Amino acid sequence: MSTPVDITAVIARPNGAGWSGRYVRSYGAPTDLGPLLHRLAHDAHVASGQYGIEELTRTLIETHYGWNRIEPDGERLGDCRCHEPEVPTPSWPDDEPMLPGRCATARYAYILTATGLQVLVRINGDWNNLGRAAYTRETARVRFDLMVERARQLNAAHLGDTDSLN
């Protein structure tokens, strides 16, 4: 069983019929990362509409090539892997954008769309939709806990699951 710190995720944006994004190494569960991303997106949307979402997405995915943890503190969005005291040479999974088929170690994906945050869970190698949170909703009203429960239900429905992260 995974602990919250061990749960990995991807922050992504739509890319044609799929998505692409960057890896987050810890605290990737919907009850941890979901509210943080939604609050950042909600605030960006309120301040600048679609442009605010595009700017946030650009910062999370293009400006930084990987994250240890998203943890906004006023000056920074979190612990990125590209601006550490000694900048490491990027290696997988940080060296290229994550795509649905390449995320063998990520449990959740958070897709920053034009209108809302879409949350997915990977079960048995397939990405399943857990829900969508519109940026017009206040973050405190979004039930990320129900997304975690839905992920548990989906996992239980796949008794023959061969995915070691489940």
Side-chain angles (χ1 to χ4, degrees):
M1 184 94 156
S2 296
T3 60
V5 73
D6 296 334
I7 297 174
T8 58
V10 173
I11 300 172
R13 66 172 149 219
N15 181 7
W19 47 264
S20 66
R22 296 296 182 178
Y23 196 67
V24 180
R25 294 180 179 271
S26 60
Y27 294 98
T31 51
D32 296 316
L33 188 54
L36 292 173
L37 286 177
H38 186 268
R39 182 178 50 81
L40 290 170
H42 173 272
D43 293 350
H45 188 267
V46 167
S48 303
Q50 177 59 31
Y51 178 76
I53 299 302
E54 290 171 8
E55 184 63 32
L56 175 64
T57 303
R58 193 171 20 261
T59 300
L60 289 169
I61 297 171
E62 292 175 18
T63 304
H64 302 280
Y65 61 67
W67 298 90
N68 288 320
R69 181 176 182 181
I70 301 295
E71 190 175 29
D73 67 2
E75 293 179 22
R76 299 174 29 195
L77 289 174
D79 181 15
C80 72
R81 298 189 43 75
C82 51
H83 293 99
E84 295 175 343
E86 289 186 33
V87 180
T89 302
S91 61
W92 192 89
D94 296 330
D95 63 344
E96 60 186 70
M98 291 286 94
L99 303 169
R102 291 190 46 95
C103 299
T105 60
R107 177 81 168 124
Y108 294 97
Y110 299 87
I111 317 301
L112 292 157
T113 70
T115 59
L117 179 65
Q118 181 180 5
V119 183
L120 308 173
V121 63
R122 189 175 53 76
I123 295 180
N124 209 17
D126 296 324
W127 290 98
N128 299 272
N129 189 37
L130 291 180
R132 183 183 210 60
Y135 302 136
T136 55
R137 294 180 69 192
E138 291 292 328
T139 302
R141 294 178 168 265
V142 179
R143 296 295 307 269
F144 289 102
D145 59 328
L146 294 179
M147 292 182 190
V148 172
E149 183 55 34
R150 174 76 175 128
R152 285 188 189 116
Q153 291 170 355
L154 286 169
N155 191 41
H158 292 81
L159 296 178
D161 195 345
T162 59
D163 192 335
S164 63
L165 292 178
N166 293 333

